[in-house]
Amino acid sequence: KLLCEKGYNFTTAQDRLFCQKLVMDYCYVALDFEKELKRIRNLGEPLHEVVMKDGTVLKLREECIVAPEVLFNPGLVGMDKDNIMSLFQHGEFTSLLRAPPLILSGGCASGLKGLGERIQLELEAVSKNFIDDPVTIVKTNIREDA
């Protein structure tokens, strides 16, 4: 969606796979989203340039952090949905925090740079009122660890 808003056209299943690869290869979760967004905008040049099969040069800037930030702030792309942290803030999964470690596995959980660190930071803020022990996050890729 972010790239389509910039004029790039992705419509086929193959395009979606390409976009998933872009996310895994070039996107990362910022610990401080606003600070990192400002830093990227001040660079004046893309973080990455990717040449597509048709020769189009895809220039990746803030999309590299906005795409994964949607997990924490769906409103960035106009979605009226709960964020990933609401699972813990509303108590549904607070018991998981009492039995560390919390394991992130599969999909983007095991490969998206910075996701574990950001979730840990967010969970520590949420959980400080009801657990004494620090939150521990473990990232694993089931396919590689099996």
Side-chain angles (χ1 to χ4, degrees), residues 21-79:
K21 183 165 175 35
L22 287 176
V23 169
M24 297 310 292
D25 290 349
Y26 300 106
C27 290
Y28 60 98
V29 178
L31 290 178
D32 183 333
F33 176 72
E34 294 298 329
K35 183 178 178 181
E36 185 66 3
L37 184 61
K38 184 177 179 181
R39 184 191 75 78
I40 291 169
R41 288 180 174 164
N42 287 336
L43 286 175
E45 59 187 46
L47 291 175
H48 304 282
E49 291 186 356
V50 179
V51 180
M52 297 172 36
K53 287 183 180 181
D54 67 359
T56 303
V57 177
L58 185 64
K59 296 181 179 187
L60 301 174
R61 292 182 172 86
E62 61 263 14
E63 301 85 11
C64 292
I65 64 165
V66 173
E69 185 66 20
V70 171
L71 292 168
F72 299 92
N73 184 0
L76 286 174
V77 293
M79 294 174 62

Side-chain angles (χ1 to χ4, degrees), residues 5-127:
E5 289 173 358
K6 291 184 84 172
Y8 298 105
N9 191 18
F10 299 103
T11 56
T12 68
Q14 187 175 7
D15 290 341
R16 283 191 225 52
L17 290 173
F18 175 75
C19 289
Q20 287 175 351
K21 183 165 175 35
L22 287 176
V23 169
M24 297 310 292
D25 290 349
Y26 300 106
C27 290
Y28 60 98
V29 178
L31 290 178
D32 183 333
F33 176 72
E34 294 298 329
K35 183 178 178 181
E36 185 66 3
L37 184 61
K38 184 177 179 181
R39 184 191 75 78
I40 291 169
R41 288 180 174 164
N42 287 336
L43 286 175
E45 59 187 46
L47 291 175
H48 304 282
E49 291 186 356
V50 179
V51 180
M52 297 172 36
K53 287 183 180 181
D54 67 359
T56 303
V57 177
L58 185 64
K59 296 181 179 187
L60 301 174
R61 292 182 172 86
E62 61 263 14
E63 301 85 11
C64 292
I65 64 165
V66 173
E69 185 66 20
V70 171
L71 292 168
F72 299 92
N73 184 0
L76 286 174
V77 293
M79 294 174 62
D80 185 24
K81 303 281 185 189
D82 286 339
N83 67 38
I84 192 171
M85 300 313 299
S86 68
L87 296 172
F88 299 97
Q89 293 166 333
H90 300 303
E92 296 152 358
F93 291 97
T94 56
S95 61
L96 293 175
L97 299 178
R98 298 179 199 276
L102 182 62
I103 299 172
L104 301 179
S105 181
C108 68
S110 59
L112 192 56
K113 297 172 213 70
L115 182 62
E117 295 82 355
R118 173 70 177 277
I119 288 178
Q120 181 160 354
L121 184 71
E122 299 272 342
L123 285 178
E124 286 172 353
V126 169
S127 66

